[in-house]
Amino acid sequence: MFGGERLSRLGAFSPQFPDAEALHRGLAHWNHRRLAPALPSADWREALDEDLRMQRIEGAFIEQFRSHIAPLVEDAPTDPDGFVAWFEALKDHGPGQWDPLFDWLEGQASMEDLKWFLTQEAAGEAGFDDLVAMTQVKVLDRAKLELARNYWDEMGRGRASGMHGPMLARTVETFELTPTIDATLWQSLCLANLMTAFATTRRYVYQSIGALGVVELTAPTRVACVDAGLKRLGAPPEARKYFALHAQLDIEHSKAWNAEALHPLVSADPACARHIAEGAVMRLICGEQCFETYRAHLWAHVHPVVYAAE
């Protein structure tokens, strides 16, 4: 049982990237290189050529994905109140919501199961703070202020100990996890590649706002389950802090994002509603595919008869 094959045929495949796994590993390695701080070098022209080639590959995947989900967003309202209501309904009815994986992580998974899950999640983490920072460039003032407030929370409101990214890093260190691109399922890499493409490409700025907003909307219930599972197994509070914090904080983040970013953006330009909706649905589908694939891996030893036949 492999699971998570819904997106396996989307992309510009080639001898270099013959399938989805190779494609998303290639994009992940490229994103890691291009976003890392660097110094001027003599081969900058060659680097630009490579970036253009990879941007075309990235763009082909995103555009095929947009076509794939077009029927799911064609009825998204374009009035601000209606759109926010449609968006908020994704919490209950969007792809991947209430996946049984998370109840299992909370109540039945072993510590080794949770470590494997956390390793996949850490390797596929694109960095919410950086995604917000890149997305906010030149957006409408009211939305920009909300993204700024969100970013400031991600930055621990100026305290290094409260920064969210390092909190997750401390969890990784506590459990001595070793996340790497090449040891990560391609579905998890696909999720990070999607979020990175949205945030770094200005034609996808509204998709990025939708994708980031739907993370805030839907994450609290999942991270609460992870926190509870870790607590059940005796994990120290410091290792659980990232999940315990987001189980509460993201609820307020979501309310503010919807009221102060989505509502004014759709009020100013109703045409952007569909693009925000696309980003949200695409992000949820990527999560859905991760959860399905994680279950296939983690439950193979729990339900061996079921998975042996697939």
Side-chain angles (χ1 to χ4, degrees), residues 158-221:
R159 294 178 297 106
S161 62
M163 292 173 66
H164 295 187
M167 279 185 199
L168 181 59
R170 286 193 289 275
T171 300
V172 170
E173 292 168 4
T174 298
F175 293 125
E176 299 181 335
L177 308 180
T178 54
T180 64
I181 290 173
D182 290 327
T184 302
L185 295 171
W186 71 260
Q187 290 85 354
S188 183
L189 300 177
C190 175
L191 187 156
N193 290 335
L194 177 89
M195 299 297 286
T196 303
F198 284 167
T200 59
T201 311
R202 298 316 291 165
R203 67 180 177 273
Y204 299 133
V205 65
Y206 293 114
Q207 282 84 355
S208 188
I209 288 169
L212 293 167
V214 88
V215 172
E216 301 284 29
L217 177 72
T218 63
T221 52

Side-chain angles (χ1 to χ4, degrees), residues 13-286:
F13 301 118
S14 66
Q16 182 184 12
F17 302 130
D19 54 30
E21 181 173 2
L23 173 68
H24 287 290
R25 291 201 195 288
L27 286 171
H29 280 295
W30 171 62
N31 282 325
H32 180 76
R33 289 193 303 271
R34 71 168 172 143
L35 295 179
L39 299 173
S41 65
D43 64 351
W44 61 272
R45 291 180 180 83
E46 291 80 359
L48 282 177
D49 289 341
E50 174 64 5
D51 284 346
L52 178 58
R53 186 180 74 87
M54 293 302 292
Q55 285 171 350
R56 291 183 184 277
I57 292 169
E58 175 188 72
F61 166 70
I62 297 295
E63 289 304 313
Q64 289 181 34
F65 199 169
R66 290 182 66 219
S67 295
H68 176 72
I69 59 95
L72 302 179
V73 299
E74 61 185 3
D75 295 328
T78 56
D79 67 285
D81 290 338
F83 179 75
V84 169
W86 179 93
F87 190 91
E88 290 178 343
L90 292 172
K91 180 176 181 179
D92 291 321
H93 307 298
Q97 293 312 290
W98 313 110
D99 192 285
L101 170 69
F102 293 92
D103 285 341
W104 182 80
L105 290 173
E106 178 178 356
Q108 300 180 55
S110 69
M111 182 58 81
E112 288 307 307
D113 292 329
L114 272 160
K115 285 182 179 180
W116 183 89
F117 167 81
L118 292 172
T119 301
Q120 295 295 313
E121 290 285 281
E125 171 59 40
F128 199 91
D129 53 349
D130 291 335
L131 297 174
V132 171
M134 290 185 283
T135 299
Q136 60 80 37
V137 176
K138 300 296 183 183
V139 301
L140 187 75
D141 285 352
R142 187 172 164 191
K144 190 183 187 79
L145 284 169
E146 177 52 36
L147 270 63
R149 287 187 286 267
N150 189 290
Y151 177 78
W152 190 233
D153 280 348
E154 290 286 329
M155 290 291 98
R157 295 180 171 267
R159 294 178 297 106
S161 62
M163 292 173 66
H164 295 187
M167 279 185 199
L168 181 59
R170 286 193 289 275
T171 300
V172 170
E173 292 168 4
T174 298
F175 293 125
E176 299 181 335
L177 308 180
T178 54
T180 64
I181 290 173
D182 290 327
T184 302
L185 295 171
W186 71 260
Q187 290 85 354
S188 183
L189 300 177
C190 175
L191 187 156
N193 290 335
L194 177 89
M195 299 297 286
T196 303
F198 284 167
T200 59
T201 311
R202 298 316 291 165
R203 67 180 177 273
Y204 299 133
V205 65
Y206 293 114
Q207 282 84 355
S208 188
I209 288 169
L212 293 167
V214 88
V215 172
E216 301 284 29
L217 177 72
T218 63
T221 52
R222 295 194 298 271
V223 295
C225 289
V226 175
D227 177 48
L230 290 170
K231 184 176 182 179
R232 169 177 59 84
L233 293 165
E238 187 68 12
R240 297 170 19 230
K241 187 175 182 180
Y242 176 86
F243 304 99
L245 175 67
H246 285 82
Q248 299 300 321
L249 184 61
D250 284 356
I251 295 172
E252 297 307 314
H253 276 176
S254 178
K255 291 177 182 177
W257 192 282
N258 296 349
E260 298 299 320
L262 301 189
H263 197 282
L265 286 169
V266 175
S267 295
D269 182 5
C272 77
R274 170 155 184 157
H275 301 284
I276 295 171
E278 284 181 354
V281 171
M282 291 164 76
R283 170 58 180 80
L284 289 179
I285 287 175
C286 282

